[in-house]
Amino acid sequence: MASGDFINKSLSFPPYPEMILEAVEALNDGNGSNKTSISKYIESRYGVLPPGHKVLLNVHLAKMRDTGVLDFWKNNYTKCDPNAPPRRGRGRPPKPKELLPPDTVLSPPRPRGRPPKGPSDMQRPPKATAGSGRPRGRPRKMARPAGGFGEASASSLKPSARPRGRPPKVKPGLIENNAQ
């Protein structure tokens, strides 16, 4: 008998969309009402609710949002105002579209990418290079001449006494021993 009483009580509730709209109107918050406040209002007004109340509330809120009965903004639900301007989302707003006169005929848009080569392009002979006789690109490195340039003597080609690069750091212990 207890289950029969529960079914009769659950059938005595108004439909969920009516309860939701009543809750949103009664809460009358400027920014709207969130899901928990709507649920608490319904529980306080109607007492014991069916076991799947949260699921049913979610389903009906989603339906009402999709059909345009409720607005969902920043996690709050409000009744839709047909005279209110649409709220802006994130990012840059779209550019306004220009209205064209009704007798204007639009040409089809150009296809993207490089246009295909025609048959006349295939028959054209390749361009002849301007003949300077030099190959393209950076010239090759030439080996150093053995005799040097001009009047270079053999003594200038000898390696110097100093090695290349920065000299090694002198250690302080070696300077004291040399000074004694």
Side-chain angles (χ1 to χ4, degrees), residues 18-163:
E18 286 180 22
M19 290 194 289
I20 292 169
L21 285 176
E22 179 186 336
V24 170
E25 289 171 358
L27 293 169
N28 197 18
D29 193 3
N31 293 332
S33 306
N34 60 14
K35 193 186 311 179
T36 55
S37 62
I38 293 170
S39 177
K40 285 180 182 177
Y41 177 83
I42 292 173
E43 287 174 10
S44 67
R45 175 100 162 103
Y46 295 101
V48 179
L49 294 169
H53 165 67
K54 288 185 180 181
V55 175
L56 285 169
L57 184 67
N58 287 340
V59 168
H60 285 286
L61 282 171
K63 264 188 207 175
M64 293 173 77
R65 182 181 63 214
D66 293 342
T67 57
V69 177
L70 292 178
D71 265 342
F72 184 70
W73 180 252
K74 293 187 178 177
N75 236 12
N76 289 329
Y77 293 91
T78 56
K79 283 181 67 175
C80 280
D81 184 14
N83 300 331
R87 289 193 170 134
R88 266 190 56 209
R90 294 173 58 181
R92 186 174 180 166
K95 290 183 179 178
K97 298 196 176 194
E98 297 177 10
L99 297 174
L100 297 173
D103 58 341
T104 305
V105 177
L106 295 175
S107 61
R110 283 180 32 191
R112 295 177 65 186
R114 186 174 180 154
K117 290 186 176 183
S120 61
D121 292 336
M122 296 293 192
Q123 295 170 356
R124 193 178 302 163
K127 287 185 177 181
T129 57
S132 66
R134 293 179 131 189
R136 292 179 58 191
R138 185 175 178 151
R140 290 184 180 170
K141 264 188 178 176
M142 303 301 264
R144 291 190 177 199
F149 294 108
E151 297 183 25
S153 64
S155 63
S156 66
L157 293 177
K158 281 189 208 173
S160 63
R162 284 190 183 182

